[in-house]
Amino acid sequence: MTALDLAFIGTGNAFAPGGLCWNGFVAGGRFLFEAPPQALQSLNRMGIDPNGLDAVILSHHHGDHFLGLPFILLHWKYFGRARPAVIVGPPGTRELATAIGRSVYPGLFDIAYDLRWVELADGQSVEVEGLRLTARRVEHDTRLSLNLGYVGELGGRTFAYTGDTGFCDAIVAMARDVEVLVAECSSVSDRVPIHLNLADDIPRLRDAMQPRARLVLTHLGAGVSADHLRDTVIARDLERYRL
């Protein structure tokens, strides 16, 4: 079985608790999920060439998931990117990224490579360089255009990413059919409707998964354990996992 490689450039929530980097990970060395503010720094620290990324996949437009994108685009512009790149996200991603990028770095989109934007609604799919993605609407901030989780298939392996969300039918459905699930978990026991917690929500999500599927949790700080859950790991900043 081919291993699914996940490299976490950060695992924290919007408040960077305890100094955690904001959440994001690279799947298979080529697909960046989320563009947190420190994304470029963390990629460099982990020895991941930003020009080697085939796509950036965004779950929603909150700043801790989005505001690193101008720096990635800046690297691509000035450090020799020549091959095409794809940015995937919910509706309005291109408009927002273009407005921010042109404001903070004029000329950012005067580029020599092909940049493709793919905006997905619930249930829509796209294939990018061997990665097949299907978007699922999750329950987070209703003031945003859309909040997405993703089901993916890469190298014969199936995985899903919840994005930021409260407990909902969509993430249960995602969990049932994949070998690896990356799930946000923003608290141990606090009940916040737009986020998951470790005490109540994650055990229900774990129970929905196949017995040998692997669960990877983000947003949890140091000192928290998930040893009571089978085949579950709490991701840590700048660590790699082969699943």
Side-chain angles (χ1 to χ4, degrees):
M1 179 184 295
T2 302
L4 178 64
D5 292 323
L6 302 178
F8 281 82
I9 63 171
T11 59
N13 62 30
F15 300 98
L20 290 177
C21 296
W22 293 285
N23 173 67
F25 63 94
V26 179
R30 298 185 291 127
F31 304 98
L32 174 61
F33 284 77
E34 313 291 22
Q38 88 297 341
L40 185 60
Q41 179 193 43
S42 292
L43 289 169
N44 288 331
R45 290 182 66 184
M46 297 190 77
I48 300 172
D49 181 4
N51 283 348
L53 298 174
D54 286 318
V56 178
I57 299 103
L58 305 164
S59 66
H60 63 291
H61 294 155
H62 279 160
D64 53 315
H65 294 251
F66 193 88
L67 290 179
L69 188 58
F71 298 101
I72 295 171
L73 293 167
L74 192 72
H75 181 99
W76 288 350
K77 176 179 173 65
Y78 288 107
F79 283 84
R81 186 176 188 103
R83 61 197 188 88
V86 181
I87 298 175
V88 180
T93 294
R94 181 175 186 173
E95 180 181 5
L96 180 61
T98 302
I100 294 173
R102 286 177 173 163
S103 296
V104 297
Y105 290 116
L108 185 63
F109 295 97
D110 300 334
I111 53 178
Y113 63 92
D114 179 45
L115 180 60
R116 180 163 67 103
W117 302 84
V118 177
E119 298 182 352
L120 297 178
D122 181 35
Q124 292 185 328
S125 299
V126 66
E127 186 162 346
V128 180
E129 296 296 329
L131 170 65
R132 181 163 181 82
L133 283 176
T134 299
R136 298 297 184 196
R137 184 180 68 83
V138 297
E139 303 296 333
H140 190 45
D141 189 340
T142 58
R143 297 165 296 183
L144 300 177
S145 67
L146 193 61
N147 306 276
L148 296 176
Y150 292 98
V151 177
E153 182 176 347
L154 180 64
R157 302 294 305 280
T158 58
F159 69 100
Y161 170 51
T162 65
D164 283 1
T165 182
F167 197 88
C168 60
D169 291 343
I171 63 171
V172 175
M174 291 161 61
R176 286 195 185 109
D177 298 324
V178 296
E179 299 167 88
V180 178
L181 176 66
V182 179
E184 73 97 346
C185 180
S186 289
S187 68
V188 174
S189 58
D190 293 343
R191 295 183 178 180
V192 181
I194 62 172
H195 287 291
L196 303 174
N197 74 14
L198 184 61
D200 305 305
D201 300 324
I202 297 302
R204 288 197 289 163
L205 198 58
R206 175 66 260 187
D207 286 344
M209 299 174 68
Q210 296 296 318
R212 299 187 65 181
R214 303 293 300 276
L215 176 59
V216 183
L217 304 178
T218 70
H219 289 52
L220 287 169
V224 178
S225 171
D227 290 345
H228 61 295
L229 298 170
R230 70 180 184 276
D231 291 318
T232 300
V233 63
I234 297 175
R236 302 301 182 193
D237 284 9
L238 309 181
E239 288 195 355
R240 299 170 186 264
Y241 303 85
R242 288 177 57 84
L243 305 170

